[in-house]
Amino acid sequence: MMDEIDWVDIAPRAPHRYTVIWMHGLGADGHDFESIVPELGLPDGLGIRYCFPNAPVRPVTINGGMAMRAWYDIMDMSLERQVDKAGIAESSASILELIDREIAGGVSSENILLAGFSQGGVIALDAGLKCPHRLAGILALSCYLPTWPEIVPALSKANRSLPILMAHGLFDNVVARESGRAAFEALTSIGYSVVWKEYPMAHSVCLDEVGDIADFIRQCFHIGGHV
């Protein structure tokens, strides 16, 4: 799978100790969240590498079959939306291979955090919950979990106590708040430690949220600062 995925890389100036793998949303690419790195205000000396993978280009049904970067196909926009679960599994497998690559490069799995926005958040959740290696945490922004409850048998024992932050806009008209909240409630109902945050925004990222993201990364990597 790794020969089918590439990524935008922001290497640390200090020795590489931590990795954030951050997946973009539908129709975007690996550059989409590149600009958030300086906004997080995390010192270069921490040694955090940011990896922004590019989703493959594929036809997307809700966009008239137009080919664009997408982690999976979407058939409709309802709350119970039909999605390409095979595509989700394939994209998750690519991210799991990327995690293995980081581990092979000398980074502890417990120093690897998965993040994603919208479709990318779905992949962060799906891959992170199934990953056989203990990770640092999952950051799931403006997303939901369409593979629930099918994912339950594949949940990794290594990550049952994994910190998870789910954040959503109150006025999101792309991924309904109710869909995100349902994922949060499903995970907490079986014992996952999930923090849910809401912001007065649409399908986007706001300044207050960026601060909470930075705090979450610090907490997951045990590097001090606010939590």
Side-chain angles (χ1 to χ4, degrees):
M1 295 293 294
M2 282 300 296
D3 60 345
E4 299 174 11
I5 191 170
D6 59 356
W7 56 89
V8 175
D9 185 73
I10 299 180
R13 296 179 183 176
H16 178 197
R17 295 182 59 200
Y18 308 97
T19 298
V20 175
I21 300 174
W22 197 314
M23 278 68 73
H24 61 78
L26 176 66
D29 61 21
H31 293 286
D32 196 38
F33 277 89
E34 197 175 4
S35 63
I36 203 171
V37 173
E39 299 299 321
L40 294 172
L42 299 174
D44 288 340
L46 296 175
I48 303 175
R49 174 185 181 231
Y50 296 88
C51 175
F52 300 98
N54 285 307
V57 175
R58 69 178 81 219
V60 176
T61 301
I62 60 166
N63 289 336
M66 183 183 300
M68 61 185 63
R69 291 201 179 276
W71 296 106
Y72 55 91
D73 190 17
I74 299 177
M75 289 72 162
D76 68 68
M77 292 297 291
S78 66
L79 283 178
E80 294 78 24
R81 62 178 67 186
Q82 297 181 4
V83 299
D84 171 18
K85 293 183 179 180
I88 293 174
E90 180 181 308
S91 290
S92 288
S94 292
I95 300 307
L96 291 174
E97 289 191 19
L98 190 50
I99 291 170
D100 287 341
R101 175 185 176 276
E102 289 297 290
I103 295 171
V107 178
S108 167
S109 68
E110 295 187 9
N111 287 344
I112 299 173
L113 183 145
L114 296 187
F117 175 80
S118 195
Q119 267 206 343
V122 171
I123 301 304
L125 280 173
D126 191 84
L129 293 172
K130 294 189 297 191
C131 183
H133 311 292
R134 170 69 184 189
L135 300 174
I138 301 174
L139 176 62
L141 308 176
S142 303
C143 67
Y144 63 124
L145 190 55
T147 52
W148 189 272
E150 294 93 337
I151 193 177
V152 172
L155 295 174
S156 166
K157 292 182 179 179
N159 289 310
R160 289 305 295 261
S161 60
L162 189 69
I164 302 172
L165 173 60
M166 296 190 70
H168 219 100
L170 290 168
F171 315 120
D172 195 326
N173 61 351
V174 176
V175 178
R177 171 197 171 278
E178 291 81 3
S179 295
R181 183 78 189 181
F184 160 74
E185 291 173 353
L187 291 170
T188 55
S189 73
I190 61 170
Y192 280 91
S193 177
V194 188
V195 174
W196 173 265
K197 288 184 175 288
E198 298 177 347
Y199 306 89
M201 63 180 186
H203 194 63
S204 59
V205 176
C206 66
L207 189 59
D208 286 346
E209 185 180 15
V210 171
D212 289 337
I213 290 169
D215 286 348
F216 181 71
I217 293 173
R218 286 181 179 274
Q219 175 189 355
C220 291
F221 288 160
H222 307 289
I223 51 179
H226 299 291
V227 295

